[in-house]
Amino acid sequence: MDALLLSVLEREPLHGYAIIEALRERSGGALDVPTGTVYPALRRLERAGLLAGEWASDGGRKRRTYRLTDAGRKALAGERSAWRSFTTAIGSVLDPLR
Amino acid sequence: MDALLLSVLEREPLHGYAIIEALRERSGGALDVPTGTVYPALRRLERAGLLAGEWASDGGRKRRTYRLTDAGRKALAGERSAWRSFTTAIGSVLDPLR
DNA sequence: TCTCCATGCGTAGACTGTCTACATGTAGAC
DNA sequence: GTCTACATGTAGACAGTCTACGCATGGAGA
């Protein structure tokens, strides 16, 4: 989850709702993350210093827009390499060379 | 976890301890799953009818050897395809086409 | 006008699964 | 006699996700 959020925010700052849509889009509909997962996760990442959130107003609507911090960018690199190691490890068990 | 256990048992029945070693070996040391994860998981899979366990004696030692049931084999196929979908979805977010 | 839906943020509580740490015991090597 | 590898298992903490809510605005259509 953390890696996904960081990755989506890599290019441009987005607010929660837009992040959910971006995840759905980028994954071709496969990833439909509920708000109960995303919002707490964003908070968590903000507390950890990986994201910076800011309130903005679009018309009457209030949005909390998050952007990646430098620490977040580094964390993303780590998450990506961890993900690769992870899938390689699982893959080596699930699809052993025949 | 379930997929990993089922996959390791696909070729031959094994007991818990051997399963842990097999996972470590097959993954090149990356996967070191603690007993507190494996044993309950094996029980769970057995209760679900995906594995069949049987006590055996090797010398003075007692082992519980698990083998894949037909349902387990089907479940494994499902797990494999689910894993592929999953990694594809995550990958499309983490490593978008540039 | 009124209602409904998409937009938008958020929390409470249930649920699930993993991990740490422990208990128990045998066999064999030194 | 003690240590290590083998072997199974549980209790309880912990973390993260999901379901199901509550609240509010804006715009489209009946």
Side-chain angles (χ1 to χ4, degrees):
Chain A
M1 198 54 239
D2 296 12
L4 294 177
L5 295 177
L6 296 174
S7 182
V8 162
L9 292 173
E10 191 180 19
R11 301 178 178 207
E12 45 170 359
L14 289 173
H15 60 280
Y17 195 87
I19 291 173
I20 293 172
E21 285 184 320
L23 287 174
R24 195 166 29 225
E25 253 180 69
R26 279 219 220 175
S27 67
L31 257 38
D32 195 1
V33 195
T35 66
T37 297
V38 170
Y39 290 118
L42 288 172
R43 299 266 175 163
R44 184 162 39 82
L45 292 172
E46 191 183 9
R47 265 202 312 280
L50 307 185
L51 295 183
E54 203 175 339
W55 283 104
S57 256
D58 175 36
R61 288 213 185 83
K62 300 209 171 181
R63 296 166 166 175
R64 187 156 181 83
T65 300
Y66 292 91
R67 64 174 179 78
L68 219 55
T69 63
D70 285 344
R73 225 164 275 278
K74 273 178 199 150
L76 175 55
E79 293 275 7
R80 275 206 244 262
S81 101
W83 170 252
R84 268 190 274 271
S85 309
F86 181 66
T87 52
T88 300
I90 304 294
S92 68
V93 174
L94 240 48
D95 304 305
L97 305 173
R98 296 164 195 291
Chain B
M1 197 55 239
D2 295 12
L4 294 177
L5 295 177
L6 294 174
S7 183
V8 161
L9 293 173
E10 190 180 19
R11 300 177 178 208
E12 46 171 358
L14 289 173
H15 59 280
Y17 195 89
I19 291 173
I20 292 173
E21 286 185 319
L23 286 174
R24 195 164 30 224
E25 252 179 71
R26 279 219 220 176
S27 67
L31 257 38
D32 195 1
V33 195
T35 65
T37 296
V38 170
Y39 289 115
L42 289 171
R43 299 269 174 159
R44 183 161 40 82
L45 292 171
E46 190 182 10
R47 263 201 315 280
L50 307 185
L51 296 182
E54 204 175 339
W55 283 104
S57 257
D58 175 36
R61 289 213 185 85
K62 301 210 170 180
R63 295 165 166 176
R64 188 155 180 85
T65 300
Y66 292 92
R67 63 172 180 78
L68 220 53
T69 63
D70 285 344
R73 225 165 274 278
K74 274 178 198 148
L76 175 56
E79 294 275 5
R80 274 208 244 263
S81 100
W83 170 253
R84 268 190 275 271
S85 310
F86 180 67
T87 52
T88 300
I90 304 294
S92 67
V93 174
L94 239 49
D95 305 304
L97 305 173
R98 294 162 197 291

